[in-house]
Tab-separated table of all heavy atoms in Angstrom:
chain	number	residue	atom	x	y	z
A	497	SER	N	-78.316	-117.076	142.575
A	497	SER	CA	-78.172	-115.637	142.314
A	497	SER	C	-79.061	-114.825	143.237
A	497	SER	O	-78.660	-113.754	143.731
A	497	SER	CB	-78.507	-115.336	140.852
A	497	SER	OG	-77.638	-116.022	139.972
A	498	ALA	N	-80.263	-115.333	143.504
A	498	ALA	CA	-81.173	-114.641	144.420
A	498	ALA	C	-80.601	-114.609	145.830
A	498	ALA	O	-80.643	-113.577	146.517
A	498	ALA	CB	-82.542	-115.325	144.415
A	499	GLN	N	-80.046	-115.733	146.272
A	499	GLN	CA	-79.455	-115.792	147.610
A	499	GLN	C	-78.268	-114.846	147.730
A	499	GLN	O	-78.093	-114.182	148.754
A	499	GLN	CB	-79.016	-117.222	147.913
A	499	GLN	CG	-80.101	-118.102	148.505
A	499	GLN	CD	-80.450	-117.694	149.927
A	499	GLN	OE1	-79.595	-117.563	150.794
A	499	GLN	NE2	-81.729	-117.490	150.181
A	500	VAL	N	-77.448	-114.795	146.696
A	500	VAL	CA	-76.287	-113.899	146.718
A	500	VAL	C	-76.743	-112.438	146.791
A	500	VAL	O	-76.198	-111.645	147.569
A	500	VAL	CB	-75.402	-114.129	145.469
A	500	VAL	CG1	-74.336	-113.053	145.360
A	500	VAL	CG2	-74.766	-115.505	145.523
A	501	ALA	N	-77.734	-112.082	145.997
A	501	ALA	CA	-78.246	-110.712	146.018
A	501	ALA	C	-78.819	-110.366	147.391
A	501	ALA	O	-78.611	-109.252	147.905
A	501	ALA	CB	-79.314	-110.538	144.935
A	502	PHE	N	-79.521	-111.310	148.002
A	502	PHE	CA	-80.115	-111.091	149.322
A	502	PHE	C	-79.030	-110.925	150.384
A	502	PHE	O	-79.085	-110.012	151.223
A	502	PHE	CB	-81.032	-112.260	149.663
A	502	PHE	CG	-81.756	-112.115	150.967
A	502	PHE	CD1	-82.423	-110.952	151.282
A	502	PHE	CD2	-81.773	-113.150	151.885
A	502	PHE	CE1	-83.105	-110.810	152.479
A	502	PHE	CE2	-82.448	-113.035	153.080
A	502	PHE	CZ	-83.113	-111.858	153.388
A	503	ALA	N	-78.028	-111.812	150.337
A	503	ALA	CA	-76.935	-111.735	151.317
A	503	ALA	C	-76.146	-110.438	151.164
A	503	ALA	O	-75.799	-109.788	152.163
A	503	ALA	CB	-76.014	-112.946	151.158
A	504	ASP	N	-75.871	-110.050	149.933
A	504	ASP	CA	-75.154	-108.799	149.698
A	504	ASP	C	-75.957	-107.595	150.192
A	504	ASP	O	-75.393	-106.626	150.717
A	504	ASP	CB	-74.848	-108.641	148.209
A	504	ASP	CG	-73.781	-109.603	147.721
A	504	ASP	OD1	-73.058	-110.162	148.574
A	504	ASP	OD2	-73.673	-109.814	146.498
A	505	ALA	N	-77.279	-107.681	150.024
A	505	ALA	CA	-78.133	-106.581	150.477
A	505	ALA	C	-78.069	-106.429	151.998
A	505	ALA	O	-78.010	-105.306	152.523
A	505	ALA	CB	-79.573	-106.830	150.038
A	506	ILE	N	-78.057	-107.551	152.709
A	506	ILE	CA	-77.995	-107.497	154.172
A	506	ILE	C	-76.651	-106.927	154.631
A	506	ILE	O	-76.594	-106.102	155.551
A	506	ILE	CB	-78.214	-108.901	154.751
A	506	ILE	CG1	-79.653	-109.366	154.462
A	506	ILE	CG2	-77.941	-108.926	156.248
A	506	ILE	CD1	-79.937	-110.774	154.913
A	507	VAL	N	-75.572	-107.360	153.981
A	507	VAL	CA	-74.248	-106.852	154.337
A	507	VAL	C	-74.161	-105.349	154.071
A	507	VAL	O	-73.643	-104.577	154.892
A	507	VAL	CB	-73.151	-107.596	153.548
A	507	VAL	CG1	-71.790	-106.954	153.781
A	507	VAL	CG2	-73.114	-109.066	153.946
A	508	GLU	N	-74.691	-104.926	152.931
A	508	GLU	CA	-74.654	-103.502	152.582
A	508	GLU	C	-75.490	-102.675	153.553
A	508	GLU	O	-75.095	-101.573	153.947
A	508	GLU	CB	-75.169	-103.314	151.156
A	508	GLU	CG	-75.077	-101.872	150.661
A	508	GLU	CD	-75.562	-101.718	149.225
A	508	GLU	OE1	-75.922	-102.739	148.609
A	508	GLU	OE2	-75.565	-100.575	148.738
A	509	LEU	N	-76.639	-103.220	153.969
A	509	LEU	CA	-77.495	-102.505	154.916
A	509	LEU	C	-76.787	-102.317	156.251
A	509	LEU	O	-76.900	-101.263	156.890
A	509	LEU	CB	-78.802	-103.265	155.111
A	509	LEU	CG	-79.781	-102.672	156.120
A	509	LEU	CD1	-80.293	-101.321	155.629
A	509	LEU	CD2	-80.953	-103.622	156.363
A	510	SER	N	-76.064	-103.350	156.692
A	510	SER	CA	-75.375	-103.271	157.981
A	510	SER	C	-74.248	-102.242	157.980
A	510	SER	O	-73.872	-101.734	159.040
A	510	SER	CB	-74.806	-104.645	158.356
A	510	SER	OG	-73.822	-105.053	157.430
A	511	THR	N	-73.732	-101.939	156.808
A	511	THR	CA	-72.617	-100.983	156.718
A	511	THR	C	-73.080	-99.575	156.364
A	511	THR	O	-72.542	-98.591	156.881
A	511	THR	CB	-71.585	-101.456	155.674
A	511	THR	OG1	-72.244	-101.665	154.416
A	511	THR	CG2	-70.932	-102.755	156.119
A	512	THR	N	-74.068	-99.446	155.482
A	512	THR	CA	-74.497	-98.118	155.015
A	512	THR	C	-75.820	-97.663	155.623
A	512	THR	O	-76.109	-96.472	155.641
A	512	THR	CB	-74.639	-98.116	153.485
A	512	THR	OG1	-75.694	-99.022	153.102
A	512	THR	CG2	-73.336	-98.564	152.835
A	513	ASN	N	-76.645	-98.618	156.047
A	513	ASN	CA	-77.984	-98.323	156.576
A	513	ASN	C	-78.835	-97.554	155.575
A	513	ASN	O	-79.688	-96.745	155.944
A	513	ASN	CB	-77.876	-97.538	157.893
A	513	ASN	CG	-79.147	-97.640	158.720
A	513	ASN	OD1	-79.861	-98.641	158.661
A	513	ASN	ND2	-79.451	-96.599	159.479
A	514	ASP	N	-78.594	-97.829	154.283
A	514	ASP	CA	-79.347	-97.178	153.217
A	514	ASP	C	-80.548	-98.068	152.873
A	514	ASP	O	-80.429	-99.054	152.148
A	514	ASP	CB	-78.458	-96.984	151.988
A	514	ASP	CG	-79.110	-96.106	150.927
A	514	ASP	OD1	-80.359	-96.029	150.901
A	514	ASP	OD2	-78.371	-95.495	150.117
A	515	LEU	N	-81.723	-97.711	153.381
A	515	LEU	CA	-82.908	-98.543	153.202
A	515	LEU	C	-83.388	-98.553	151.755
A	515	LEU	O	-83.930	-99.556	151.285
A	515	LEU	CB	-84.030	-98.047	154.115
A	515	LEU	CG	-83.746	-98.114	155.624
A	515	LEU	CD1	-84.951	-97.622	156.406
A	515	LEU	CD2	-83.393	-99.540	156.041
A	516	ALA	N	-83.185	-97.453	151.041
A	516	ALA	CA	-83.619	-97.387	149.644
A	516	ALA	C	-82.819	-98.375	148.794
A	516	ALA	O	-83.384	-99.115	147.970
A	516	ALA	CB	-83.471	-95.968	149.107
A	517	GLU	N	-81.501	-98.401	148.984
A	517	GLU	CA	-80.665	-99.339	148.238
A	517	GLU	C	-80.963	-100.773	148.663
A	517	GLU	O	-80.911	-101.693	147.833
A	517	GLU	CB	-79.188	-99.017	148.456
A	517	GLU	CG	-78.721	-97.755	147.771
A	517	GLU	CD	-78.889	-97.842	146.252
A	517	GLU	OE1	-78.627	-98.923	145.682
A	517	GLU	OE2	-79.297	-96.831	145.639
A	518	TYR	N	-81.265	-100.959	149.925
A	518	TYR	CA	-81.624	-102.289	150.416
A	518	TYR	C	-82.887	-102.788	149.726
A	518	TYR	O	-82.976	-103.959	149.324
A	518	TYR	CB	-81.821	-102.212	151.928
A	518	TYR	CG	-82.161	-103.538	152.583
A	518	TYR	CD1	-81.381	-104.666	152.381
A	518	TYR	CD2	-83.276	-103.652	153.416
A	518	TYR	CE1	-81.689	-105.869	152.997
A	518	TYR	CE2	-83.588	-104.841	154.040
A	518	TYR	CZ	-82.792	-105.948	153.823
A	518	TYR	OH	-83.106	-107.138	154.428
A	519	ASP	N	-83.851	-101.898	149.564
A	519	ASP	CA	-85.091	-102.285	148.893
A	519	ASP	C	-84.835	-102.645	147.430
A	519	ASP	O	-85.404	-103.601	146.904
A	519	ASP	CB	-86.098	-101.137	148.994
A	519	ASP	CG	-87.486	-101.545	148.544
A	519	ASP	OD1	-88.026	-102.522	149.087
A	519	ASP	OD2	-88.020	-100.901	147.622
A	520	LYS	N	-83.942	-101.899	146.768
A	520	LYS	CA	-83.607	-102.212	145.374
A	520	LYS	C	-82.934	-103.579	145.263
A	520	LYS	O	-83.200	-104.345	144.329
A	520	LYS	CB	-82.688	-101.133	144.798
A	520	LYS	CG	-83.356	-99.777	144.615
A	520	LYS	CD	-82.370	-98.759	144.061
A	520	LYS	CE	-83.035	-97.386	143.903
A	520	LYS	NZ	-82.064	-96.364	143.408
A	521	SER	N	-82.071	-103.893	146.212
A	521	SER	CA	-81.404	-105.198	146.206
A	521	SER	C	-82.405	-106.323	146.429
A	521	SER	O	-82.283	-107.408	145.843
A	521	SER	CB	-80.317	-105.232	147.284
A	521	SER	OG	-79.329	-104.264	147.044
A	522	LEU	N	-83.395	-106.083	147.271
A	522	LEU	CA	-84.429	-107.084	147.500
A	522	LEU	C	-85.260	-107.309	146.237
A	522	LEU	O	-85.667	-108.442	145.934
A	522	LEU	CB	-85.335	-106.652	148.655
A	522	LEU	CG	-84.689	-106.640	150.047
A	522	LEU	CD1	-85.646	-106.033	151.066
A	522	LEU	CD2	-84.300	-108.047	150.470
A	523	ILE	N	-85.514	-106.243	145.499
A	523	ILE	CA	-86.226	-106.376	144.229
A	523	ILE	C	-85.420	-107.228	143.263
A	523	ILE	O	-85.956	-108.098	142.562
A	523	ILE	CB	-86.508	-104.984	143.622
A	523	ILE	CG1	-87.479	-104.205	144.511
A	523	ILE	CG2	-87.061	-105.113	142.211
A	523	ILE	CD1	-87.711	-102.779	144.042
A	524	LYS	N	-84.106	-107.005	143.233
A	524	LYS	CA	-83.224	-107.786	142.372
A	524	LYS	C	-83.262	-109.262	142.753
A	524	LYS	O	-83.317	-110.140	141.884
A	524	LYS	CB	-81.799	-107.247	142.474
A	524	LYS	CG	-80.796	-107.951	141.586
A	524	LYS	CD	-79.409	-107.346	141.735
A	524	LYS	CE	-78.397	-108.086	140.878
A	524	LYS	NZ	-77.028	-107.508	141.032
A	525	ALA	N	-83.250	-109.548	144.048
A	525	ALA	CA	-83.329	-110.933	144.503
A	525	ALA	C	-84.659	-111.564	144.102
A	525	ALA	O	-84.708	-112.729	143.673
A	525	ALA	CB	-83.150	-110.996	146.020
A	526	SER	N	-85.741	-110.797	144.213
A	526	SER	CA	-87.062	-111.317	143.828
A	526	SER	C	-87.134	-111.603	142.336
A	526	SER	O	-87.820	-112.543	141.911
A	526	SER	CB	-88.153	-110.310	144.217
A	526	SER	OG	-88.240	-110.176	145.614
A	527	GLU	N	-86.446	-110.802	141.537
A	527	GLU	CA	-86.447	-111.048	140.093
A	527	GLU	C	-85.762	-112.363	139.760
A	527	GLU	O	-86.165	-113.065	138.834
A	527	GLU	CB	-85.753	-109.881	139.381
A	527	GLU	CG	-86.550	-108.582	139.426
A	527	GLU	CD	-85.764	-107.421	138.853
A	527	GLU	OE1	-84.544	-107.593	138.612
A	527	GLU	OE2	-86.343	-106.338	138.674
A	528	HIS	N	-84.721	-112.711	140.505
A	528	HIS	CA	-84.035	-113.989	140.282
A	528	HIS	C	-84.886	-115.164	140.748
A	528	HIS	O	-84.850	-116.242	140.145
A	528	HIS	CB	-82.695	-114.015	141.026
A	528	HIS	CG	-81.641	-113.160	140.398
A	528	HIS	ND1	-81.174	-113.378	139.117
A	528	HIS	CD2	-80.952	-112.089	140.876
A	528	HIS	CE1	-80.243	-112.482	138.835
A	528	HIS	NE2	-80.095	-111.683	139.871
A	529	ASN	N	-85.638	-114.956	141.830
A	529	ASN	CA	-86.439	-116.045	142.394
A	529	ASN	C	-87.807	-115.505	142.783
A	529	ASN	O	-88.091	-115.265	143.954
A	529	ASN	CB	-85.728	-116.639	143.607
A	529	ASN	CG	-86.394	-117.904	144.114
A	529	ASN	OD1	-87.376	-118.377	143.551
A	529	ASN	ND2	-85.867	-118.468	145.188
A	530	PRO	N	-88.690	-115.309	141.797
A	530	PRO	CA	-89.985	-114.671	142.077
A	530	PRO	C	-90.942	-115.522	142.897
A	530	PRO	O	-91.940	-115.001	143.395
A	530	PRO	CB	-90.549	-114.417	140.666
A	530	PRO	CG	-89.866	-115.416	139.797
A	530	PRO	CD	-88.501	-115.594	140.370
A	531	LYS	N	-90.657	-116.807	143.070
A	531	LYS	CA	-91.545	-117.680	143.832
A	531	LYS	C	-91.216	-117.703	145.321
A	531	LYS	O	-91.936	-118.317	146.097
A	531	LYS	CB	-91.460	-119.114	143.286
A	531	LYS	CG	-91.907	-119.259	141.842
A	531	LYS	CD	-93.374	-118.939	141.673
A	531	LYS	CE	-93.832	-119.184	140.234
A	531	LYS	NZ	-95.259	-118.860	140.052
A	532	GLN	N	-90.120	-117.060	145.711
A	532	GLN	CA	-89.695	-117.077	147.107
A	532	GLN	C	-90.276	-115.879	147.846
A	532	GLN	O	-90.132	-114.732	147.421
A	532	GLN	CB	-88.167	-117.051	147.188
A	532	GLN	CG	-87.609	-117.092	148.601
A	532	GLN	CD	-88.115	-118.278	149.396
A	532	GLN	OE1	-88.939	-118.116	150.291
A	532	GLN	NE2	-87.658	-119.473	149.052
A	533	ASP	N	-90.935	-116.129	148.985
A	533	ASP	CA	-91.623	-115.071	149.718
A	533	ASP	C	-90.714	-114.295	150.658
A	533	ASP	O	-91.081	-113.216	151.131
A	533	ASP	CB	-92.783	-115.663	150.524
A	533	ASP	CG	-92.298	-116.617	151.608
A	533	ASP	OD1	-91.599	-117.585	151.257
A	533	ASP	OD2	-92.614	-116.407	152.791
A	534	ILE	N	-89.512	-114.801	150.944
A	534	ILE	CA	-88.637	-114.152	151.921
A	534	ILE	C	-88.329	-112.712	151.532
A	534	ILE	O	-88.394	-111.795	152.352
A	534	ILE	CB	-87.324	-114.947	152.078
A	534	ILE	CG1	-87.601	-116.311	152.687
A	534	ILE	CG2	-86.329	-114.181	152.932
A	534	ILE	CD1	-86.368	-117.185	152.790
A	535	TYR	N	-88.007	-112.497	150.261
A	535	TYR	CA	-87.612	-111.168	149.807
A	535	TYR	C	-88.803	-110.218	149.821
A	535	TYR	O	-88.659	-109.031	150.151
A	535	TYR	CB	-87.016	-111.256	148.399
A	535	TYR	CG	-86.093	-112.439	148.232
A	535	TYR	CD1	-86.313	-113.408	147.246
A	535	TYR	CD2	-84.996	-112.615	149.072
A	535	TYR	CE1	-85.480	-114.498	147.094
A	535	TYR	CE2	-84.155	-113.710	148.933
A	535	TYR	CZ	-84.405	-114.647	147.945
A	535	TYR	OH	-83.582	-115.729	147.805
A	536	VAL	N	-89.959	-110.721	149.495
A	536	VAL	CA	-91.173	-109.900	149.520
A	536	VAL	C	-91.516	-109.507	150.957
A	536	VAL	O	-91.873	-108.351	151.239
A	536	VAL	CB	-92.345	-110.669	148.869
A	536	VAL	CG1	-93.631	-109.859	148.968
A	536	VAL	CG2	-92.031	-110.999	147.417
A	537	VAL	N	-91.391	-110.465	151.867
A	537	VAL	CA	-91.679	-110.187	153.279
A	537	VAL	C	-90.733	-109.121	153.817
A	537	VAL	O	-91.144	-108.216	154.557
A	537	VAL	CB	-91.553	-111.488	154.109
A	537	VAL	CG1	-91.562	-111.182	155.602
A	537	VAL	CG2	-92.681	-112.447	153.760
A	538	GLU	N	-89.469	-109.213	153.451
A	538	GLU	CA	-88.495	-108.236	153.930
A	538	GLU	C	-88.827	-106.835	153.414
A	538	GLU	O	-88.693	-105.849	154.147
A	538	GLU	CB	-87.092	-108.655	153.486
A	538	GLU	CG	-85.973	-107.940	154.197
A	538	GLU	CD	-85.901	-108.246	155.679
A	538	GLU	OE1	-86.484	-109.273	156.114
A	538	GLU	OE2	-85.282	-107.458	156.410
A	539	ARG	N	-89.270	-106.746	152.174
A	539	ARG	CA	-89.674	-105.444	151.636
A	539	ARG	C	-90.901	-104.916	152.368
A	539	ARG	O	-91.006	-103.711	152.652
A	539	ARG	CB	-89.970	-105.565	150.143
A	539	ARG	CG	-88.767	-105.887	149.266
A	539	ARG	CD	-89.153	-105.804	147.800
A	539	ARG	NE	-89.525	-104.446	147.447
A	539	ARG	CZ	-90.379	-104.133	146.466
A	539	ARG	NH1	-90.950	-105.088	145.747
A	539	ARG	NH2	-90.661	-102.882	146.209
A	540	ALA	N	-91.824	-105.801	152.703
A	540	ALA	CA	-93.017	-105.378	153.442
A	540	ALA	C	-92.643	-104.893	154.845
A	540	ALA	O	-93.204	-103.906	155.341
A	540	ALA	CB	-94.008	-106.539	153.532
A	541	ARG	N	-91.674	-105.538	155.472
A	541	ARG	CA	-91.260	-105.114	156.805
A	541	ARG	C	-90.628	-103.725	156.781
A	541	ARG	O	-90.759	-102.957	157.755
A	541	ARG	CB	-90.272	-106.127	157.382
A	541	ARG	CG	-90.930	-107.423	157.833
A	541	ARG	CD	-89.904	-108.421	158.319
A	541	ARG	NE	-90.541	-109.620	158.829
A	541	ARG	CZ	-89.893	-110.711	159.210
A	541	ARG	NH1	-88.560	-110.733	159.114
A	541	ARG	NH2	-90.539	-111.764	159.673
A	542	LEU	N	-89.954	-103.388	155.697
A	542	LEU	CA	-89.419	-102.033	155.568
A	542	LEU	C	-90.548	-101.013	155.591
A	542	LEU	O	-90.440	-99.957	156.239
A	542	LEU	CB	-88.621	-101.908	154.267
A	542	LEU	CG	-87.280	-102.633	154.183
A	542	LEU	CD1	-86.661	-102.427	152.812
A	542	LEU	CD2	-86.331	-102.143	155.269
A	543	ARG	N	-91.619	-101.317	154.896
A	543	ARG	CA	-92.793	-100.412	154.887
A	543	ARG	C	-93.427	-100.331	156.271
A	543	ARG	O	-93.848	-99.254	156.712
A	543	ARG	CB	-93.835	-100.897	153.884
A	543	ARG	CG	-93.651	-100.419	152.462
A	543	ARG	CD	-92.490	-101.054	151.796
A	543	ARG	NE	-92.292	-100.586	150.418
A	543	ARG	CZ	-91.218	-100.883	149.712
A	543	ARG	NH1	-90.257	-101.640	150.222
A	543	ARG	NH2	-91.081	-100.415	148.477
A	544	LEU	N	-93.458	-101.457	156.958
A	544	LEU	CA	-94.061	-101.475	158.295
A	544	LEU	C	-93.250	-100.615	159.263
A	544	LEU	O	-93.813	-99.864	160.072
A	544	LEU	CB	-94.140	-102.918	158.799
A	544	LEU	CG	-94.995	-103.171	160.042
A	544	LEU	CD1	-96.452	-102.826	159.771
A	544	LEU	CD2	-94.861	-104.618	160.491
A	545	ALA	N	-91.936	-100.717	159.172
A	545	ALA	CA	-91.078	-99.899	160.035
A	545	ALA	C	-91.252	-98.412	159.731
A	545	ALA	O	-91.289	-97.565	160.645
A	545	ALA	CB	-89.619	-100.311	159.851
A	546	GLU	N	-91.379	-98.078	158.449
A	546	GLU	CA	-91.568	-96.680	158.065
A	546	GLU	C	-92.920	-96.159	158.550
A	546	GLU	O	-93.036	-95.000	159.004
A	546	GLU	CB	-91.450	-96.532	156.549
A	546	GLU	CG	-91.595	-95.121	156.019
A	546	GLU	CD	-90.494	-94.192	156.475
A	546	GLU	OE1	-89.490	-94.681	157.047
A	546	GLU	OE2	-90.622	-92.977	156.267
A	547	LEU	N	-93.946	-96.992	158.483
A	547	LEU	CA	-95.266	-96.594	158.982
A	547	LEU	C	-95.216	-96.330	160.481
A	547	LEU	O	-95.829	-95.364	160.975
A	547	LEU	CB	-96.292	-97.683	158.667
A	547	LEU	CG	-96.718	-97.829	157.207
A	547	LEU	CD1	-97.633	-99.030	157.035
A	547	LEU	CD2	-97.417	-96.569	156.719
A	548	ASN	N	-94.513	-97.163	161.218
A	548	ASN	CA	-94.388	-96.948	162.665
A	548	ASN	C	-93.660	-95.643	162.960
A	548	ASN	O	-93.998	-94.927	163.902
A	548	ASN	CB	-93.638	-98.125	163.304
A	548	ASN	CG	-94.532	-99.344	163.472
A	548	ASN	OD1	-95.675	-99.232	163.887
A	548	ASN	ND2	-94.011	-100.517	163.141
A	549	ARG	N	-92.662	-95.325	162.157
A	549	ARG	CA	-91.936	-94.071	162.358
A	549	ARG	C	-92.828	-92.879	162.063
A	549	ARG	O	-92.874	-91.904	162.844
A	549	ARG	CB	-90.704	-94.038	161.453
A	549	ARG	CG	-89.813	-92.802	161.672
A	549	ARG	CD	-88.759	-92.686	160.586
A	549	ARG	NE	-89.341	-92.325	159.297
A	549	ARG	CZ	-89.656	-91.066	158.930
A	549	ARG	NH1	-89.453	-90.060	159.780
A	549	ARG	NH2	-90.160	-90.821	157.744
A	550	LEU	N	-93.552	-92.934	160.936
A	550	LEU	CA	-94.419	-91.812	160.555
A	550	LEU	C	-95.556	-91.627	161.548
A	550	LEU	O	-95.995	-90.493	161.792
A	550	LEU	CB	-94.981	-92.056	159.150
A	550	LEU	CG	-93.963	-92.004	158.009
A	550	LEU	CD1	-94.599	-92.471	156.706
A	550	LEU	CD2	-93.399	-90.583	157.850
A	551	ARG	N	-96.019	-92.727	162.149
A	551	ARG	CA	-97.131	-92.628	163.097
A	551	ARG	C	-96.713	-91.876	164.368
A	551	ARG	O	-97.562	-91.246	165.030
A	551	ARG	CB	-97.640	-94.025	163.443
A	551	ARG	CG	-98.672	-94.054	164.564
A	551	ARG	CD	-99.252	-95.432	164.767
A	551	ARG	NE	-100.340	-95.687	163.833
A	551	ARG	CZ	-101.101	-96.774	163.856
A	551	ARG	NH1	-100.877	-97.715	164.730
A	551	ARG	NH2	-102.072	-96.929	162.991
Side-chain angles (χ1 to χ4, degrees):
S497 299
Q499 273 290 308
V500 170
F502 183 49
D504 289 343
I506 293 176
V507 173
E508 184 178 358
L509 178 66
S510 64
T511 55
T512 64
N513 201 30
D514 190 336
L515 298 181
E517 288 299 320
Y518 182 53
D519 190 56
K520 292 179 181 178
S521 298
L522 292 173
I523 294 175
K524 182 179 178 181
S526 294
E527 290 173 350
H528 287 299
N529 189 2
K531 298 296 184 181
Q532 181 55 253
D533 65 303
I534 294 176
Y535 318 123
V536 177
V537 168
E538 195 65 19
R539 294 187 64 208
R541 286 177 176 174
L542 289 178
R543 273 71 181 171
L544 192 63
E546 181 65 11
L547 288 175
N548 282 317
R549 184 191 70 82
L550 292 171
R551 172 174 277 186

